[in-house]
Structure formats: C-alpha cells, structure tokens
Amino acid sequence: MPAWFETTVIIAFAIGAVYFFAKYRETVAALHESERMKKRLSDDLNRYRDTPRLRALRDAMVGADTLPVDDDGREHLLVRDGDLQLHHLTLRRQCNAVSEGEKITYTKDGEEVVLSELE
C-alpha cells in the first residue's frame, strides 16, 4: 500500500472523528438547553398557576359573582403563594369605582405606591 494512500485514510478518519465529536458536543449542548428551558418553563407555570384564581377573585370583587360569605358578612378565599403554601384570606367588601386616568395609590413602608391593574 502506498504511503500517500495511508496518509489519506488517516486524514479522512481524523476529519470524520472531528466531525463526530463536534456533532456529539452540539447534541449534548442542545439537550442541556432543552432541559434548562423545560425547567424554566415549569417554574414559570408554577409561578403563574394562581392566575385563573386571581382573575376569579377580581371578577368576584367587582362583578355579580360572590365569594363564600360567612354570617358576619366577610368573604373567604384560599390562595397559594410563591412557595405554594396555602393562605386563607378573609375579606370585607369595599368596592370603589375608578374613573378613567385616575391613579390609585397605597402606602408601603411610608411611601405612596401606585397600584397596578391585574391583567
């Protein structure tokens, strides 16, 4: 077998090995990114899991539907926090209509904070 043929075969195998390892690393990186995105999206879903309940609360507070009411006229609601711990809220209804463009504020740590609307 001529020396140039052996050299050509070795070079071809080296190029094939480099191509194989490059594809392998690319596949590993894609799988790693896929797992990372799956975890992030799962965390996002857990974070926004109570969004339908918050919408139901908003609709119950300003609409015709009511929350469960006890004998003293207080309304009751169960809501989960970010750590998925269950909290019991007792509410006394006080609804005020807001005109267009009016900013609603509340006091937090001695500062006036603008209240944002739930979307």
Side-chain angles (χ1 to χ4, degrees), residues 81-116:
D81 64 4
D83 297 328
L84 300 179
Q85 296 293 320
L86 201 57
H87 296 278
H88 174 218
L89 299 178
T90 305
L91 308 167
R92 183 165 302 278
R93 184 182 289 252
Q94 177 185 352
C95 295
N96 300 321
V98 178
S99 62
E100 191 65 33
E102 183 179 354
K103 294 191 186 291
I104 306 300
T105 60
Y106 64 98
T107 304
K108 179 179 179 183
D109 297 330
E111 296 181 18
E112 290 288 319
V113 180
V114 176
L115 184 63
S116 60

Coordinates of all heavy atoms in Angstrom, one line a residue, residues 81-116:
D81 N -49.2 31.0 47.7 CA -48.2 32.0 47.5 C -47.1 31.4 46.6 O -47.3 30.3 46.0 CB -47.6 32.5 48.8 CG -46.9 31.4 49.6 OD1 -46.8 30.2 49.1 OD2 -46.4 31.7 50.7
G82 N -46.0 32.1 46.4 CA -44.9 31.6 45.5 C -44.3 30.3 45.9 O -43.8 29.5 45.1
D83 N -44.4 30.0 47.2 CA -43.8 28.7 47.7 C -44.9 27.6 47.8 O -44.7 26.6 48.4 CB -43.2 28.8 49.1 CG -42.1 29.8 49.1 OD1 -41.3 29.8 48.1 OD2 -41.9 30.5 50.1
L84 N -46.1 27.9 47.1 CA -47.2 27.0 47.1 C -47.8 26.7 48.5 O -48.5 25.7 48.7 CB -46.9 25.7 46.3 CG -46.4 25.9 44.9 CD1 -46.1 24.6 44.3 CD2 -47.5 26.6 44.1
Q85 N -47.6 27.6 49.4 CA -48.2 27.5 50.7 C -49.6 28.1 50.7 O -49.8 29.1 50.1 CB -47.4 28.2 51.8 CG -46.0 27.7 52.0 CD -46.1 26.3 52.6 OE1 -46.9 26.0 53.5 NE2 -45.2 25.4 52.1
L86 N -50.6 27.4 51.3 CA -52.0 27.8 51.2 C -52.2 28.9 52.3 O -51.8 28.8 53.4 CB -52.9 26.6 51.4 CG -54.3 26.7 51.0 CD1 -54.4 27.0 49.5 CD2 -55.0 25.4 51.3
H87 N -52.9 30.0 51.9 CA -53.3 31.1 52.8 C -54.8 31.3 52.7 O -55.4 31.3 51.7 CB -52.5 32.4 52.4 CG -51.0 32.2 52.6 ND1 -50.4 32.4 53.8 CD2 -50.1 32.0 51.7 CE1 -49.1 32.2 53.6 NE2 -48.9 32.0 52.3
H88 N -55.4 31.6 53.9 CA -56.8 31.9 54.0 C -57.0 33.4 54.1 O -56.5 34.0 55.1 CB -57.4 31.2 55.2 CG -58.8 31.5 55.5 ND1 -59.3 31.7 56.7 CD2 -59.9 31.7 54.6 CE1 -60.6 32.0 56.7 NE2 -60.9 32.0 55.4
L89 N -57.6 34.0 53.1 CA -57.9 35.4 53.2 C -59.3 35.6 53.6 O -60.3 35.0 53.1 CB -57.7 36.0 51.8 CG -56.3 35.9 51.2 CD1 -56.3 36.5 49.8 CD2 -55.3 36.6 52.1
T90 N -59.5 36.5 54.5 CA -60.8 37.0 54.9 C -61.0 38.4 54.5 O -60.2 39.3 54.9 CB -61.0 36.9 56.5 OG1 -60.6 35.6 56.9 CG2 -62.4 37.2 56.9
L91 N -62.0 38.7 53.7 CA -62.2 40.0 53.1 C -63.5 40.6 53.5 O -64.5 39.9 53.7 CB -62.2 39.8 51.5 CG -61.0 39.1 50.9 CD1 -61.4 38.8 49.5 CD2 -59.8 39.9 51.0
R92 N -63.5 41.9 53.7 CA -64.7 42.7 53.9 C -64.8 43.5 52.6 O -63.9 44.3 52.3 CB -64.6 43.5 55.1 CG -65.9 44.3 55.4 CD -66.0 44.9 56.7 NE -65.9 43.9 57.8 CZ -66.9 43.1 58.3 NH1 -68.1 43.2 57.7 NH2 -66.8 42.3 59.3
R93 N -65.9 43.4 51.9 CA -66.0 44.0 50.6 C -66.1 45.5 50.7 O -67.0 46.0 51.5 CB -67.2 43.5 49.9 CG -67.4 44.0 48.5 CD -68.6 43.5 47.8 NE -68.5 42.1 47.5 CZ -68.3 41.6 46.3 NH1 -68.4 42.4 45.3 NH2 -68.2 40.3 46.1
Q94 N -65.3 46.2 50.0 CA -65.4 47.6 49.8 C -64.9 48.0 48.4 O -63.7 47.9 48.2 CB -64.6 48.4 50.9 CG -64.6 49.9 50.6 CD -63.7 50.6 51.6 OE1 -63.1 50.0 52.5 NE2 -63.5 51.9 51.4
C95 N -65.9 48.2 47.6 CA -65.5 48.5 46.2 C -65.8 50.0 45.8 O -66.8 50.5 46.2 CB -66.4 47.6 45.2 SG -66.0 45.9 45.4
N96 N -64.8 50.6 45.2 CA -64.9 52.0 44.8 C -64.7 52.0 43.3 O -63.7 51.5 42.8 CB -63.9 52.8 45.5 CG -64.1 52.8 47.0 OD1 -65.2 52.8 47.5 ND2 -63.0 52.8 47.7
A97 N -65.6 52.7 42.6 CA -65.4 52.8 41.1 C -64.2 53.8 40.9 O -64.0 54.7 41.6 CB -66.7 53.3 40.5
V98 N -63.4 53.5 39.8 CA -62.3 54.3 39.4 C -62.6 54.9 38.1 O -62.9 54.3 37.1 CB -61.0 53.4 39.4 CG1 -59.8 54.2 38.9 CG2 -60.7 52.7 40.7
S99 N -62.4 56.2 38.0 CA -62.6 56.9 36.8 C -61.4 56.7 35.9 O -60.3 56.4 36.3 CB -62.9 58.4 37.0 OG -61.8 59.0 37.6
E100 N -61.6 56.9 34.6 CA -60.5 56.8 33.6 C -59.4 57.7 33.9 O -59.5 58.9 34.1 CB -61.1 57.0 32.2 CG -60.2 56.6 31.1 CD -59.9 55.1 31.0 OE1 -60.8 54.4 31.3 OE2 -58.8 54.8 30.6
G101 N -58.1 57.2 33.9 CA -56.9 58.0 34.1 C -56.6 58.3 35.5 O -55.5 58.8 35.8
E102 N -57.4 57.9 36.5 CA -57.1 58.1 37.9 C -56.1 57.1 38.4 O -56.2 55.9 38.0 CB -58.4 58.0 38.7 CG -58.3 58.3 40.2 CD -59.6 58.1 40.9 OE1 -60.6 58.0 40.3 OE2 -59.6 58.2 42.1
K103 N -55.2 57.5 39.1 CA -54.2 56.6 39.7 C -54.5 56.3 41.1 O -54.7 57.2 41.9 CB -52.8 57.2 39.6 CG -52.3 57.4 38.2 CD -50.8 57.7 38.2 CE -50.3 58.1 36.8 NZ -50.3 57.0 35.9
I104 N -54.5 55.0 41.4 CA -54.8 54.5 42.8 C -53.5 54.2 43.5 O -52.7 53.5 42.9 CB -55.7 53.3 42.8 CG1 -57.0 53.5 41.9 CG2 -56.1 52.8 44.2 CD1 -57.9 54.6 42.4
T105 N -53.4 54.7 44.7 CA -52.1 54.5 45.4 C -52.4 53.9 46.8 O -53.5 54.0 47.3 CB -51.3 55.8 45.6 OG1 -52.2 56.7 46.4 CG2 -51.0 56.5 44.3
Y106 N -51.4 53.3 47.3 CA -51.5 52.8 48.7 C -50.1 53.1 49.4 O -49.1 53.4 48.7 CB -51.8 51.3 48.8 CG -50.8 50.4 48.1 CD1 -49.9 49.7 48.9 CD2 -50.8 50.2 46.7 CE1 -48.9 48.9 48.3 CE2 -49.9 49.4 46.2 CZ -49.0 48.7 46.9 OH -48.0 47.9 46.4
T107 N -50.1 53.0 50.7 CA -48.9 53.3 51.4 C -48.1 52.0 51.8 O -48.7 51.1 52.3 CB -49.2 54.1 52.7 OG1 -50.0 55.2 52.4 CG2 -47.9 54.5 53.4
K108 N -46.8 52.0 51.4 CA -46.0 50.8 51.7 C -44.7 51.4 52.2 O -44.0 52.1 51.5 CB -45.8 50.0 50.5 CG -44.9 48.8 50.7 CD -44.7 47.9 49.5 CE -43.8 46.8 49.8 NZ -43.6 46.0 48.5
D109 N -44.3 51.0 53.4 CA -43.1 51.5 54.1 C -43.0 53.0 54.1 O -42.0 53.6 53.9 CB -41.8 50.9 53.4 CG -41.8 49.4 53.4 OD1 -42.3 48.8 54.4 OD2 -41.2 48.8 52.5
G110 N -44.1 53.6 54.3 CA -44.2 55.1 54.4 C -44.2 55.8 53.1 O -44.2 57.0 53.0
E111 N -44.2 55.1 51.9 CA -44.2 55.7 50.6 C -45.5 55.4 49.9 O -46.0 54.3 50.0 CB -43.0 55.2 49.8 CG -41.6 55.5 50.3 CD -40.5 54.9 49.4 OE1 -40.8 54.6 48.3 OE2 -39.4 54.8 49.9
E112 N -45.9 56.3 49.1 CA -47.0 56.1 48.2 C -46.6 55.3 47.0 O -45.7 55.6 46.3 CB -47.6 57.5 47.7 CG -48.3 58.3 48.8 CD -49.6 57.7 49.3 OE1 -50.4 57.2 48.4 OE2 -49.9 57.7 50.5
V113 N -47.3 54.2 46.8 CA -47.1 53.3 45.7 C -48.3 53.2 44.8 O -49.4 53.1 45.3 CB -46.7 51.9 46.2 CG1 -46.4 51.0 45.0 CG2 -45.5 51.9 47.1
V114 N -48.1 53.3 43.5 CA -49.2 53.2 42.5 C -49.6 51.8 42.4 O -48.8 50.9 42.2 CB -48.8 53.8 41.1 CG1 -50.0 53.6 40.2 CG2 -48.5 55.3 41.3
L115 N -50.9 51.5 42.5 CA -51.4 50.1 42.4 C -51.7 49.8 40.9 O -52.3 50.6 40.2 CB -52.8 50.0 43.1 CG -53.4 48.7 43.2 CD1 -52.5 47.7 43.9 CD2 -54.8 48.8 43.9
S116 N -51.1 48.7 40.4 CA -51.3 48.3 39.0 C -52.4 47.4 38.9 O -52.8 46.6 39.8 CB -50.0 47.7 38.5 OG -49.7 46.5 39.2

